[in-house]
Amino acid sequence: MALRQCAARSAAVADVRSWCRAHRYSVDCMSDADPEPDAYGRVTNPGRYQVLHDVAERLLGELARNFAVSRSESLVSDPSRSSGQVRMVQLDPAHPGVGVLRVTFTGFPGLMVKLGQESETALPACGCDACDEDPQELIEELHHKIGRLTRAGSTESARWRRRLE
């Protein structure tokens, strides 16, 4: 979905250079040089984001073992493609309705992450060659977001209790 949006924005803008600067600011692209215009519609190595699936799987397992949550899995429509289904894992705290964590493993490959009341976040946000998001930085962002949800003292983590408490 994000790639289609990125390509559509790219095609709609007449002044590619100014759009590139605005786009780089909004998604924090790594390069200082303006990407070539066709880079916005091209993804040469989506497999580099497969590591996000592996990391999310480990994190979900650790959270399920260490916190009083229930884990459920289901198939949902793939948000990264116009057809197909992908796996979605949801962790619900022992006290329902607060701080739910939902991770959808997209076919891109990437993740759609919903933490509590926050809006859903796509990792990577785009995936095109122009944006060139670093998988390691995306892993750090995932750890940070989940840490905020489960850390004691946060509003929604009030019911994310460790299993042995």
Side-chain angles (χ1 to χ4, degrees):
M1 182 169 76
L3 179 59
R4 285 191 294 267
Q5 290 171 343
C6 182
R9 279 188 224 133
S10 162
V13 176
D15 184 357
V16 174
R17 287 192 181 275
S18 67
W19 187 87
C20 289
R21 283 189 291 277
H23 187 69
R24 183 171 55 246
Y25 175 77
S26 69
V27 296
D28 195 25
C29 287
M30 302 298 292
S31 174
D32 289 334
D34 289 339
E36 56 191 68
D38 67 337
Y40 288 97
R42 182 180 64 229
V43 180
T44 54
N45 184 16
R48 70 184 182 268
Y49 298 114
Q50 181 64 43
V51 67
L52 294 171
H53 283 203
D54 302 336
V55 168
E57 196 65 61
R58 280 194 303 274
L59 278 172
L60 288 165
E62 288 175 25
L63 292 169
R65 281 188 301 279
N66 296 326
F67 288 90
V69 297
S70 62
R71 179 181 173 135
S72 61
E73 295 191 28
S74 59
L75 292 177
V76 297
S77 295
D78 188 345
S80 69
R81 299 197 169 128
S82 59
S83 64
Q85 292 190 317
V86 292
R87 188 167 61 101
M88 190 263 304
V89 177
Q90 183 164 311
L91 298 180
D92 291 293
H95 294 81
V98 178
V100 171
L101 169 62
R102 184 175 65 224
V103 178
T104 303
F105 294 80
T106 70
F108 175 69
L111 303 171
M112 291 297 292
V113 181
K114 172 90 170 150
L115 299 134
Q117 301 302 315
E118 288 185 17
S119 62
E120 211 163 28
T121 302
L123 299 173
C126 179
C128 75
D129 289 357
C131 293
D132 193 28
E133 294 171 89
D134 180 6
Q136 187 58 44
E137 288 180 10
L138 297 173
I139 290 168
E140 290 170 17
E141 181 179 349
L142 179 65
H143 279 276
H144 176 74
K145 285 182 170 292
I146 290 175
R148 269 196 351 250
L149 181 69
T150 60
R151 190 174 20 252
S154 81
T155 307
E156 293 189 283
S157 71
R159 291 178 181 90
W160 272 79
R161 301 282 188 224
R162 295 213 171 261
R163 286 212 183 266
L164 300 176
E165 285 184 356

